[in-house]
Amino acid sequence: MAPGLRLNAVAFISPQNEPTLIRTFSKQDESAIKYHYIAHTSLDVIDERVAANSKLSECYLGLLYAMEDVAVYGYITPSKVKIVIALALSDSVVRDIEVNMIFKALHMAYYAAISNPFLALRASTDFVHDSPRSYSLLAGSQKWKNFRRRVDEISRDLGNPMTTNQDR
Amino acid sequence: MNSYPIELLTQLAPVMFVAGLDLSTSPAVDSSDTPISPQPSPSHSQDPFLQLVQRLRDALVSQRKPAIWQPEKSKTFQAILVDKDVRFPPRKLLSPEDPGYASSHSPLSPLTPSSPLYPDGLIAPIWVRKHTTLIPSVFVLFKRLYEFQASPQHPRSPLDLVFSEKEREREQEERRWDSELAAEIALRKRFTHERGMKLTVVLLATRKILDEPSLDTRLTFIRRQSGLDSRAALFVLSPVSQAELGEFISSLQQALYDPAVEYYTSHSKRVRRKRNRHSQSASAYPNPPALASGGGPLRPLRPEGWTVRYEYKMACFAEFRGEDEVALKHYQDAYEALIIMFGSIIILSPRTKRWAEAKVLADCINIKITKLYLYNNEHALAVSHHTTHMRRFGDFSRGWGIGEETYEYWSWMARQHRVLAELIELGTNSHLNSTLVIPIHKPIISPSSTIGIQRVGSPGIEMELNAIRSLIINPNHLLQHPGFYYYMAARCTEMRRERFNAALLALEDNQYHPGTLNPASNSPGFANEKKVDHFVLILELYTKAYEHFKRHAEVHAQTTQTQTHQGRLPLYIAYRIAQTYQDSGKYDMAIRFFERMAKTYRKEQWRSLLVPLLSTWYACAERLGDVDLCVRLLVEMLGYGIDGSEFEDLEDVESRLMRTLKDNKPSSEDPIVLDHLESQPLFDTSLVFWKPEAEVHELVAFQLSLAAPRDRSIQSLPFSKLEIYTKEDDDAPFIIEHVEQSDAEGEGDLVRRVELGQVGKERTEDPIIKASLRWRKGGILILTGTMSSRIPTYLTLSLLKLYLSYDAWKIELPLKPCKSRQPSNALESLWLSCLYPVRFIPITREDYSSVNVKHRPHKVTVSVNHRQPAYLNENYPITIQVTNVDDAELDVVVEVLLLPSDLDYAVNTIAVDEEQSSGLLKGISLGVLAPGVSAIKTLYLRSTEAAGDRTLDISVQSRSTTSATGTSDSSVAYPVDTPQPELLDITETLRTVVVPTVEPLKMTCDVTYRRAIGAQIGLADLNAFEEDFWDDGDGGEATVVSTFQCSGPWGLAIESLVLKRQDVLQAKIMTSSINEIGKDVFPSEYLPGDNFGDICCISISSQGKNGQHIFQPVPVPGEYEVAWKRILSDSEYGEPTITTFVLPPLQPPIDGLVALLNPPTIANLHQPIAMSLTIRNRHPTRSANITVHLDSDPSDGFVVAGLRNGRVPVLLPGGEEKLTWKLIPVECGYVQLPKLRVVDRRKAIASAQGLGGPGTDVEIEGVPVKIVDVRTEQKVVSILSTTGSGGEVKKDAEDAAAVDPNRIADVLVLP
């Protein structure tokens, strides 16, 4: 894809604003928490964008904000799952189309993950009626490795060095 | 921004000097020494001129305040009030008379040795200050115009004798004063002129003077004398109101703006000339004498420096003129030249005074450039310039030895971020002139753009490239609100502190190892840095950032009016603030922030953020010695599964908690309540009910499980009791008290089961049991029990409370009965089926943690009886039988709903007892039924008009009589006034009945018409005017044969069949068979398929009441009424019913011209018979010309006497002619009548004329007229009438096969 883009972190956030999966690909281990914060704070901007344009037909929300050394981009699926990526900030232009392509790939990875039939089996008994959680949360849990593997592959395809960090 | 000289940052505007507005001395002071004082010394406050001066001062000064952000381009001046004798600073050091004047320089020039810039300074703030405060572009002088004051004792009058003398005196006086004024102005004019400034004089005068005719000449005189310009140089102002004053000031500025711009333009031109000269020959300036005399290391300003200097000056002058684009260009040039200078150590050696000055200058120019971009809302360019500036100087810094590892670097970076933040803050501040709009990056990804990117390679698609350009953005150049930049400044300051601490540490090391002394440690910068309280700085910046983020979130929430949870970004800043407080040792402040943040993170389930937060929070609490808080946090940390690795001593949380409990005493007697129901619980709890639904009073089994974490131990936690609360009894929970158990009793098992018995309000036993409340790693305690309810409700557990007791410690731990830590690692919805070995059954329904309790449905049987199909018009009985087979008394009410039928015209009713309705019958009470008793209601359905299905919904509601009384007893549980329907003990039984309905009888009618034979009544016959005169001449007679068939499946007992005559004008029933003989026939019983009938004869008249003709169809003269009863099985009869059948409407044939032949049917041989032919002209308008031919033939069996060929007199409309022949039969048997021909000649003529063609040689005999044999004539219309008056099916009228209407029958001749 785009050679200039360096993916630092990917976050999937459930429609209830709970983190589903947060993967960081940067080298510094101590900055993992930073990306958790970035994922959390970008919800503010996503809310803002969605509220400003309630008839949103486009999933891609564009550049949410730039802070310190990362540019944060957002994406919201039709089922209100939010995807946030943090790209390393460099003094070069970023094409929205390229970012959108990354998002599309991540979205497909998410689709593939929640299409896991065993997930549905598990989720049917996990449904607690006072705090409904879709099984998007499940997809990101430690138990299901396929999802994180796909996300990591996307990151690798972008040309990022593989560094797996622990998360959640 | 405060760290930079304000002169280099403020927005420049043309400067106006205002003189002569001194408050202490009135502008009229010049005249005070004259004997005729113009002012009779009024008090200062009342003097209109003093007030005017005061207002002018205020208004002029408030025109423009020096500010950094001032984008608007209104033509306003920076007004400075000066003394009227103010002197400008000299242009050059030497006086113009000095011979060295030409080669000398300005006192601020680097070439002047006394200048602070000597010898190689670039530009100093003092230069800007000179142009903003010491030298104006325009000079406005306020003077009082002399006014001759006539003595009040001598009112001036034209009649006055001394008038001319006075006038002369006045003129002289005025002229004297005016000359003085002009001289003074001329002096001032000389000063300003040589500096190229515009001088404008404003003369203050009373309103009276303005009206005097001599004013013009006086003003002209003053202007000429003083040498003022002809345009915009002389104004006259009288004391006016505030609003008018404002107008005056704006018009003054308007008039002076162009001269001011000219002034600055001329400066620019001068500087450009110098720059051009300079760039042409680099050594245009001779080296200053100081260098020539070998003044040591002093080096003159380099050509690059001169470029900077000149460009900067030109930029400033352009800014004065308000030409932002030009200013921007010159600033950029100056900046680029500066960069070149910084690039070389030789030109600017680092860490010198000039270097520091240049750095400040570069920063300031950068701010100016950024600001100018932002004025135009060119965000990307502005931010791009700023970031480039930071990057470039960051790179330079490395070369200068103040790279990223030094605090100086980070200090500078922080300042740059802060400056940008402050600039944007100024630009967006709503109180100031906020013109800056922070953009939102909104992508538009359209399908066309994806096409565009594929074609990027192909040239010439300019438009698409443009489209792509709009879709790309450099995130680095994104303009965001100032909070982001304050945040960055704070981050940089944190780095600065870190580096400084490192340097301090290194210094301490060096003290132990003398000899390797760091030279930096002694530098003044380091000493300065020591004095800085970094934490205060960081907190200030973070607080500013926090405010901005918060305001932004609030503004957004207001504009979109959403209640979404905003404020995650401020929360992040709050996190940084808390950390800073922690680092700076202000733990109490940090804790306050942590508390607030934890709320959101708990609620939103962001464990990853909460975990480090809890650790830091705990560290703070520990430092503060807040034991209660420590305990709270430790328990919460246990819930989140934080292990000891977060702590320095790696002690795990459990033992740390136990140690804390052991070593400390609680701060108060009250139990500590850990009410974080939103946070991750210590136990995975799960409540499972076996059944989804239950009846009232039924015991429902449930299992409540508490699962300890699997990855860490909580075995040592001293739980003392567990309370289980249900919804309805908050005050009396079920209590499980801890009791120590030996391993043999099952504590060693992973899964333990404890039987609770009945839980909840309905329990009977003592609500306390004892069990072990210790959990092994991953241990599960399953509490099994039953619940019941006496009212319908959702049965579940509301809360669990776990108590920890240790010495004086009492900790209360509320838990939700169904909540797991992680979404996927619980045993929720599993039902323990067997303990040895442990087996679970998954309960796969959605709401497994509650039971829906309902009333037991009443046992009521409802049977609906009727004999279908029903007949139309019949009162069809339907019996509803309700039997109470329950064991309690029931109050039964029935409702019947007749559904609307989709059949046309169908009108149906239902009736019970006295009530009747076409829709709903409500509240049919069957009374209170004791067990085993049944009640019957008969419902009558009456369907009319159309056969088909009728549908009834029958609802039987049974209400328990006991529950009604129970309701009033326990008014607490449900208020009597508003009983909720679902809580009432009502059972509804529904039945739907479909009743097919058919017709009992079908009527078929055959109608035959005959023409009237009798002669028509003459026109003048007086009988026609009789009341009872009946003229059937045109109508004739109809015979109706009606056949009734029993079409239904049930037999009918026909009571009577009556033909009811109806009074209509055109028809009357002559005879009816049923009326004559039917009395004996009925009543009698008919079985399905049986027929009965009637024949009636109806005479038809074509004339209405008043003699006018009424045409078809003829209204029905009567209807049959059939009274019948349904024959039930055992010689019983149903309800008597009357069905009516209407006779069909009559349509007698209409003739035009007709000939009716009326011979006898039987004749005797050789006995003459008469044969008559009646020709009627029934045509309404035409007359008829008729000829009659009788063609006798030798073979005829008759001898004919009478007309053979003849013409009948013309028949008028309605006319009739009768011809008669005598015939003598000469043969026996069926003898054919002689052939008759009746021809209408009129029609033939008409047709011949109509044709008119030459070839029409057909016989023009005429058109034959139909001859009707009245003996055989009949016209049959068969009508099938289905119901009494319903739809009719008309069969085709003439049954041609039966009788040929044109045939003339033979005559039977007997011997």
Side-chain angles (χ1 to χ4, degrees), chain B residues 868-899:
Chain B
Q868 62 179 11
Y871 282 149
L872 279 178
N873 299 318
E874 174 190 28
N875 266 344
Y876 179 68
I878 301 168
T879 56
I880 303 164
Q881 179 173 15
V882 180
T883 312
N884 179 5
V885 288
D886 208 276
D887 50 6
E889 275 193 344
L890 295 174
D891 188 4
V892 180
V893 174
V894 180
E895 277 184 21
V896 183
L897 174 68
L898 173 64
L899 296 181

Coordinates of all heavy atoms in Angstrom, one line a residue, chain B residues 868-899:
Chain B
Q868 N -74.8 -24.6 11.9 CA -74.5 -23.8 10.7 C -75.0 -24.6 9.5 O -75.1 -25.8 9.6 CB -73.0 -23.5 10.7 CG -72.2 -24.7 10.6 CD -70.7 -24.4 10.6 OE1 -70.3 -23.3 10.7 NE2 -69.9 -25.4 10.3
P869 N -75.2 -24.1 8.4 CA -75.1 -22.6 8.1 C -76.3 -21.9 8.6 O -77.4 -22.5 8.8 CB -75.0 -22.6 6.6 CG -75.7 -23.8 6.1 CD -75.5 -24.8 7.1
A870 N -76.2 -20.6 8.8 CA -77.3 -19.8 9.2 C -78.0 -19.3 7.9 O -77.4 -19.3 6.8 CB -76.8 -18.6 9.9
Y871 N -79.3 -19.0 8.1 CA -80.1 -18.4 6.9 C -80.1 -16.9 7.0 O -80.0 -16.4 8.1 CB -81.5 -18.9 7.0 CG -81.7 -20.3 6.4 CD1 -82.7 -21.2 6.9 CD2 -80.8 -20.8 5.4 CE1 -82.9 -22.4 6.4 CE2 -81.0 -22.1 4.9 CZ -82.0 -22.9 5.4 OH -82.1 -24.2 4.9
L872 N -80.2 -16.3 5.9 CA -80.2 -14.9 5.9 C -81.5 -14.4 6.6 O -82.5 -15.1 6.5 CB -80.3 -14.3 4.4 CG -78.9 -14.2 3.7 CD1 -79.1 -13.7 2.3 CD2 -78.0 -13.3 4.5
N873 N -81.5 -13.3 7.2 CA -82.6 -12.7 7.9 C -83.1 -13.4 9.1 O -84.1 -13.0 9.7 CB -83.8 -12.5 6.9 CG -83.4 -11.6 5.7 OD1 -82.8 -10.6 5.9 ND2 -83.8 -12.0 4.5
E874 N -82.5 -14.5 9.4 CA -82.9 -15.3 10.5 C -82.3 -14.8 11.8 O -81.1 -14.3 11.7 CB -82.5 -16.7 10.2 CG -82.8 -17.7 11.3 CD -82.1 -19.0 11.0 OE1 -81.1 -19.1 10.4 OE2 -82.6 -20.1 11.5
N875 N -82.9 -14.9 12.9 CA -82.3 -14.7 14.2 C -81.6 -16.0 14.5 O -82.2 -16.9 15.0 CB -83.3 -14.3 15.2 CG -83.5 -12.8 15.3 OD1 -82.6 -12.1 14.9 ND2 -84.6 -12.4 15.9
Y876 N -80.3 -16.0 14.3 CA -79.6 -17.2 14.3 C -79.0 -17.4 15.7 O -78.2 -16.6 16.2 CB -78.5 -17.2 13.3 CG -77.6 -18.4 13.3 CD1 -78.1 -19.6 12.8 CD2 -76.3 -18.3 13.6 CE1 -77.3 -20.7 12.7 CE2 -75.4 -19.4 13.6 CZ -76.0 -20.6 13.1 OH -75.2 -21.7 13.0
P877 N -79.4 -18.4 16.4 CA -79.0 -18.5 17.8 C -77.6 -19.2 18.0 O -77.4 -20.2 17.3 CB -80.1 -19.4 18.5 CG -80.6 -20.2 17.3 CD -80.4 -19.4 16.1
I878 N -76.8 -18.6 18.8 CA -75.5 -19.2 19.1 C -75.4 -19.2 20.6 O -75.5 -18.2 21.3 CB -74.3 -18.3 18.6 CG1 -74.4 -18.1 17.1 CG2 -73.0 -18.9 18.9 CD1 -73.5 -17.0 16.5
T879 N -75.2 -20.4 21.1 CA -75.2 -20.5 22.6 C -73.7 -20.6 23.0 O -72.9 -21.3 22.5 CB -75.9 -21.8 23.1 OG1 -75.3 -22.9 22.4 CG2 -77.4 -21.7 22.8
I880 N -73.4 -19.8 24.1 CA -72.1 -19.8 24.6 C -72.2 -20.4 26.0 O -72.9 -19.9 26.9 CB -71.5 -18.4 24.7 CG1 -71.5 -17.7 23.4 CG2 -70.1 -18.4 25.3 CD1 -71.4 -16.2 23.5
Q881 N -71.5 -21.5 26.2 CA -71.5 -22.1 27.5 C -70.2 -22.0 28.2 O -69.2 -22.4 27.6 CB -71.9 -23.6 27.3 CG -72.0 -24.3 28.6 CD -72.5 -25.7 28.5 OE1 -72.6 -26.3 27.4 NE2 -72.9 -26.3 29.6
V882 N -70.2 -21.4 29.4 CA -68.9 -21.3 30.1 C -69.0 -22.1 31.4 O -70.0 -22.0 32.1 CB -68.7 -19.8 30.5 CG1 -67.4 -19.6 31.2 CG2 -68.7 -18.9 29.2
T883 N -68.0 -23.0 31.5 CA -68.0 -23.8 32.7 C -66.8 -23.6 33.5 O -65.7 -23.5 33.0 CB -68.0 -25.3 32.3 OG1 -69.0 -25.5 31.3 CG2 -68.3 -26.2 33.5
N884 N -67.0 -23.3 34.8 CA -65.9 -23.1 35.7 C -65.4 -24.5 36.2 O -66.1 -25.1 37.0 CB -66.3 -22.2 36.9 CG -65.2 -22.0 37.9 OD1 -64.1 -22.4 37.6 ND2 -65.6 -21.3 39.0
V885 N -64.2 -24.9 35.7 CA -63.7 -26.1 36.2 C -62.5 -25.9 37.1 O -61.8 -26.8 37.5 CB -63.2 -27.0 35.0 CG1 -64.4 -27.6 34.3 CG2 -62.4 -26.3 34.1
D886 N -62.3 -24.6 37.5 CA -61.3 -24.3 38.5 C -61.8 -24.6 39.9 O -62.9 -25.0 40.1 CB -61.1 -22.8 38.3 CG -59.7 -22.4 38.7 OD1 -59.4 -22.2 39.9 OD2 -58.8 -22.3 37.8
D887 N -60.9 -24.4 40.8 CA -61.3 -24.7 42.2 C -61.7 -23.5 43.0 O -61.8 -23.5 44.2 CB -60.2 -25.5 42.9 CG -58.9 -24.8 42.8 OD1 -58.8 -23.7 42.2 OD2 -57.9 -25.4 43.2
A888 N -61.8 -22.4 42.3 CA -62.2 -21.1 43.0 C -63.3 -20.5 42.2 O -63.6 -20.8 41.1 CB -61.0 -20.2 43.0
E889 N -64.0 -19.6 43.0 CA -65.1 -18.9 42.3 C -64.6 -17.9 41.3 O -63.5 -17.3 41.5 CB -65.9 -18.1 43.4 CG -66.9 -18.9 44.1 CD -67.8 -18.0 44.9 OE1 -67.5 -16.8 45.1 OE2 -68.9 -18.4 45.3
L890 N -65.3 -17.8 40.2 CA -64.8 -16.9 39.1 C -65.9 -16.0 38.7 O -67.1 -16.5 38.5 CB -64.3 -17.7 37.9 CG -63.0 -18.6 38.2 CD1 -62.7 -19.4 36.9 CD2 -61.8 -17.7 38.5
D891 N -65.6 -14.8 38.5 CA -66.5 -13.8 37.9 C -66.3 -13.8 36.4 O -65.2 -13.4 36.0 CB -66.3 -12.4 38.6 CG -67.4 -11.5 38.2 OD1 -68.3 -11.9 37.5 OD2 -67.2 -10.3 38.6
V892 N -67.3 -14.1 35.7 CA -67.1 -14.3 34.2 C -67.8 -13.2 33.5 O -69.0 -13.0 33.7 CB -67.5 -15.7 33.8 CG1 -67.3 -15.9 32.3 CG2 -66.8 -16.8 34.5
V893 N -67.1 -12.6 32.6 CA -67.7 -11.6 31.7 C -67.4 -12.0 30.3 O -66.3 -12.4 30.0 CB -67.1 -10.2 32.1 CG1 -67.6 -9.2 31.1 CG2 -67.5 -9.9 33.5
V894 N -68.4 -11.8 29.4 CA -68.2 -12.2 28.0 C -68.2 -10.9 27.2 O -69.0 -10.0 27.4 CB -69.3 -13.2 27.5 CG1 -69.0 -13.5 26.1 CG2 -69.2 -14.4 28.4
E895 N -67.4 -10.9 26.2 CA -67.4 -9.8 25.2 C -67.5 -10.5 23.8 O -66.8 -11.5 23.5 CB -66.1 -9.0 25.2 CG -66.1 -7.9 26.3 CD -64.8 -7.1 26.2 OE1 -64.2 -7.1 25.1 OE2 -64.5 -6.5 27.2
V896 N -68.4 -9.9 23.0 CA -68.5 -10.5 21.6 C -68.2 -9.3 20.6 O -68.8 -8.2 20.8 CB -69.9 -11.0 21.4 CG1 -70.0 -11.6 20.0 CG2 -70.3 -12.0 22.5
L897 N -67.4 -9.6 19.7 CA -67.1 -8.7 18.7 C -67.5 -9.3 17.3 O -67.0 -10.3 17.0 CB -65.6 -8.3 18.7 CG -65.2 -7.4 17.5 CD1 -65.8 -6.0 17.7 CD2 -63.7 -7.3 17.5
L898 N -68.4 -8.6 16.6 CA -68.8 -9.0 15.3 C -67.8 -8.3 14.3 O -67.8 -7.1 14.3 CB -70.2 -8.6 15.0 CG -70.7 -8.9 13.6 CD1 -70.7 -10.4 13.2 CD2 -72.1 -8.3 13.4
L899 N -67.0 -9.1 13.6 CA -66.0 -8.4 12.8 C -66.7 -7.9 11.6 O -67.7 -8.5 11.1 CB -65.0 -9.4 12.4 CG -64.1 -10.0 13.5 CD1 -63.1 -11.0 13.0 CD2 -63.4 -8.9 14.2

